[in-house]
């Protein structure tokens, strides 16, 4: 609540993950009761979990700007995609191979997802990258930068 940052993770039985990172803020006091009533109306079993006035321990908040990452970990190589909603600019993550690359192939040989391809410089296919950093740690000439 101090700075509003929130991260929500969801996993599916199909080895998919969704991670939403953004800013959250509590809705107005008037909206708190409106939304709380709606939540308990749509999910009546919650009355057993939060009987009587104990339902008021929750806080309804809004996230209207966030970055959402989708991962499919059931495929090889993995698949990752990033989306934004609101006025959010997607922050680049992961690793990038710079022009310092000497094309030794060490990074390619240690990549668990085989998402690095030959070139000058070598190139990382970002939507298949785990962001594990193995390439970064093993590069003998420090040609890989963290995003």
């Amino acid at each position: 609540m101090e700075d509003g940052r929130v991260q929500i993770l969801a996993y599916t039985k199909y080895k998919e993950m969704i991670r939403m990172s953004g800013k959250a803020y509590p809705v107005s006091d008037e909206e708190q009761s409106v939304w709380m009533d709606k939540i308990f109306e749509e999910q009546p079993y919650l009355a057993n979990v939060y009987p009587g006035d104990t339902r008021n321990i929750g806080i309804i908040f809004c996230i209207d700007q966030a970055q959402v990452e989708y991962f499919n970990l059931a495929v090889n190589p993995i698949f990752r995609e990033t989306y934004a909603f609101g006025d959010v600019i997607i922050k680049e993550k992961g690793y990038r191979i710079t022009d310092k690359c000497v094309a030794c192939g060490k990074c390619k040989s240690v990549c668990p997802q085989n998402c690095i391809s030959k070139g000058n410089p070598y190139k990382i296919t970002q939507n298949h990258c785990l962001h594990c950093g193995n390439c970064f740690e093993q590069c003998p000439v420090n040609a890989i930068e963290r995003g």
Side-chain angles (χ1 to χ4, degrees), residues 27-41 55 60:
V27 299
S28 69
D29 289 341
E30 301 81 38
E31 289 181 280
Q32 288 288 327
S33 61
V34 170
W35 281 105
M36 190 70 73
D37 290 344
K38 185 168 183 66
I39 289 168
F40 275 76
E41 179 184 311
R55 75 187 236 172
I60 307 299

Side-chain angles (χ1 to χ4, degrees), residues 32-127:
Q32 288 288 327
S33 61
V34 170
W35 281 105
M36 190 70 73
D37 290 344
K38 185 168 183 66
I39 289 168
F40 275 76
E41 179 184 311
E42 290 180 0
Q43 300 174 52
Y45 65 88
L46 287 176
N48 293 327
V49 179
Y50 298 102
D53 289 341
T54 63
R55 75 187 236 172
N56 295 324
I57 65 172
I59 298 172
I60 307 299
F61 60 91
C62 179
I63 303 169
D64 54 12
Q65 296 189 42
Q67 177 172 308
V68 178
E69 293 176 276
Y70 166 81
F71 304 85
N72 186 339
L73 304 174
V75 296
N76 190 332
I78 61 121
F79 176 78
R80 152 196 314 261
E81 191 69 57
T82 304
Y83 309 91
F85 63 89
D87 296 331
V88 171
I89 296 171
I90 294 175
K91 296 175 186 168
E92 293 297 323
K93 293 182 180 180
Y95 296 87
R96 183 177 75 79
I97 302 174
T98 68
D99 289 336
K100 291 189 226 174
C101 176
V102 295
C104 70
K106 181 69 174 172
C107 59
K108 183 173 173 48
S109 71
V110 298
C111 178
Q113 291 297 306
N114 298 312
C115 65
I116 300 176
S117 55
K118 288 182 180 182
N120 193 8
Y122 274 49
K123 182 175 170 71
I124 300 171
T125 304
Q126 293 299 321
N127 64 343

Side-chain angles (χ1 to χ4, degrees), residues 3-22:
D3 69 1
R5 288 185 296 166
V6 65
Q7 190 169 83
I8 300 169
L9 297 173
Y11 297 93
T12 73
K13 66 181 181 179
Y14 304 108
K15 299 179 182 158
E16 298 165 301
M17 184 181 85
I18 298 169
R19 175 173 51 209
M20 181 176 69
S21 305

